[in-house]
Each structure stands twice: as structure tokens, then as C-alpha cells.
Amino acid sequence: MMGGGQQQLQQLSQELQALDEEIESLEAEVSDLNDEKDEIDEAVEAIETLETGSTVQVPLGGDAYLRAEVQDIDEVVVSLGANYAAEQEQSTAIETLRRKQDALDEEIASVRGQIEELEEESDEIEEQAMQAQQQMQQQQMQQMQQMQGEGDDGDDE
């Protein structure tokens, strides 16, 4: 009888661990999405403040930069996704980036919703584990009382 309770506890523990790992993974995804939003904020800020003729530092990779002059602020190249990019005017580029942020917000909300569901599931499993543990303890107590009852005829109580 005890073996079954132990097995149930072990299974619940494994389920909890799997849920925790999934929650951790989703929280990392939210963090990445927030980083992406921050990068878009920086891009929008740059597009809003730069003018034709402004000098900028262009990253070349490997922490190397090159100074360059903005030829035309109304020739902003914006990634549209799926390896496509388009040249857009300053205001259109900002709108495109803001739409990207809105899409990221929706994705973040969706992932946070998944996290909440998993956390609720995790709470339910923890509750089941506590109940299973209490049942096991009660059974052990009953077994000990029975063994004590058999060992001495109950005179000591």
C-alpha cells in the first residue's frame, strides 16, 4: 500500500519539475521578446532624432564601428520579416516599427497567459502531492499504532 503512495508522489514530483522547466523556458521567451521591443524603441528614437546630414556610428560586427553620414533620413530600410526589407520614409518607418512592437506585445501577452495556466496546473499538482503525502503519513501512523497494539496489550496507555 505504501509503495503506491510513494510512486504517486514521485510521478507528481516529475510533473512539477517538467512544468517548472516549461515555465522557465516561457519566461526566457518573454525576456527575449522584451529585449526585441527595447531594440525597436532605440531604433525609433534614433529615427526620430536623426536628420539628413547627421553623423552616426555604424556597427560592422566584432565590436567595430564606422562613422557615416546620413544621406537621406527618408530612406530608412526596415525589415518586414521573412527576409524582406523595404525602404521607407521616416514616419512610415516609425509606424512599421510601432506595429512590430504591437505584435510583440500580443505575443508577450499570449506567452504570459500560457505561463499563468502552467502555474495554476503546478499549484493543483502541489496540492495533490500534499494530499498524497498526508494520506501516506496517516497510513504509516495507523500501521505503527497497529504494530504497537500487537506488541503490548495496550496496558501502557
Side-chain angles (χ1 to χ4, degrees), residues 17-31 115 118-119:
Q17 196 176 344
L19 283 172
D20 284 346
E21 286 170 12
E22 202 172 335
I23 288 169
E24 227 173 272
S25 161
L26 290 171
E27 284 173 343
E29 193 178 325
V30 168
S31 177
I115 290 172
L118 291 173
E119 283 173 342

Side-chain angles (χ1 to χ4, degrees), residues 16-73:
L16 274 175
Q17 196 176 344
L19 283 172
D20 284 346
E21 286 170 12
E22 202 172 335
I23 288 169
E24 227 173 272
S25 161
L26 290 171
E27 284 173 343
E29 193 178 325
V30 168
S31 177
D32 290 346
L33 292 169
N34 277 321
D35 289 347
E36 209 174 319
K37 276 185 61 182
D38 291 344
E39 286 176 18
I40 291 174
D41 272 336
E42 289 172 21
V44 167
E45 196 178 319
I47 294 168
E48 285 174 340
T49 55
L50 289 173
E51 300 169 353
T52 299
S54 297
T55 301
V56 292
Q57 288 190 351
V58 181
L60 302 174
D63 275 342
Y65 295 86
L66 186 69
R67 278 212 182 81
E69 189 179 294
V70 176
Q71 294 297 313
D72 186 349
I73 194 61

Side-chain angles (χ1 to χ4, degrees), residues 2-156:
M2 242 172 69
Q6 199 69 40
Q7 210 172 357
Q8 186 189 3
L9 271 177
Q10 198 172 354
Q11 187 182 347
L12 291 172
S13 170
Q14 288 170 344
E15 285 178 36
L16 274 175
Q17 196 176 344
L19 283 172
D20 284 346
E21 286 170 12
E22 202 172 335
I23 288 169
E24 227 173 272
S25 161
L26 290 171
E27 284 173 343
E29 193 178 325
V30 168
S31 177
D32 290 346
L33 292 169
N34 277 321
D35 289 347
E36 209 174 319
K37 276 185 61 182
D38 291 344
E39 286 176 18
I40 291 174
D41 272 336
E42 289 172 21
V44 167
E45 196 178 319
I47 294 168
E48 285 174 340
T49 55
L50 289 173
E51 300 169 353
T52 299
S54 297
T55 301
V56 292
Q57 288 190 351
V58 181
L60 302 174
D63 275 342
Y65 295 86
L66 186 69
R67 278 212 182 81
E69 189 179 294
V70 176
Q71 294 297 313
D72 186 349
I73 194 61
D74 280 329
E75 289 178 4
V76 182
V77 179
V78 180
S79 168
L80 304 176
N83 293 328
Y84 286 99
E87 192 173 283
Q88 298 180 333
E89 291 183 0
Q90 192 175 14
S91 58
T92 311
I94 291 170
E95 284 171 30
T96 301
L97 292 170
R98 290 287 182 224
R99 277 197 303 276
K100 277 186 176 186
Q101 276 189 321
D102 292 343
L104 288 171
D105 281 333
E106 285 175 25
E107 202 172 334
I108 288 169
S110 164
V111 174
R112 284 205 172 123
Q114 290 174 353
I115 290 172
E116 280 176 33
E117 284 174 27
L118 291 173
E119 283 173 342
E120 284 172 24
E121 199 177 325
S122 177
D123 290 346
E124 287 171 24
I125 291 174
E126 278 179 19
E127 187 67 34
Q128 287 175 4
M130 280 173 54
Q131 288 173 350
Q133 203 164 6
Q134 285 171 348
Q135 283 178 328
M136 275 175 54
Q137 286 170 344
Q138 285 172 347
Q139 287 169 355
Q140 285 172 344
M141 291 288 285
Q142 287 169 351
Q143 285 173 343
M144 283 169 67
Q145 286 169 352
Q146 285 170 352
M147 284 165 62
Q148 280 176 349
E150 291 166 9
D152 56 41
D153 301 326
D155 294 339
D156 294 336

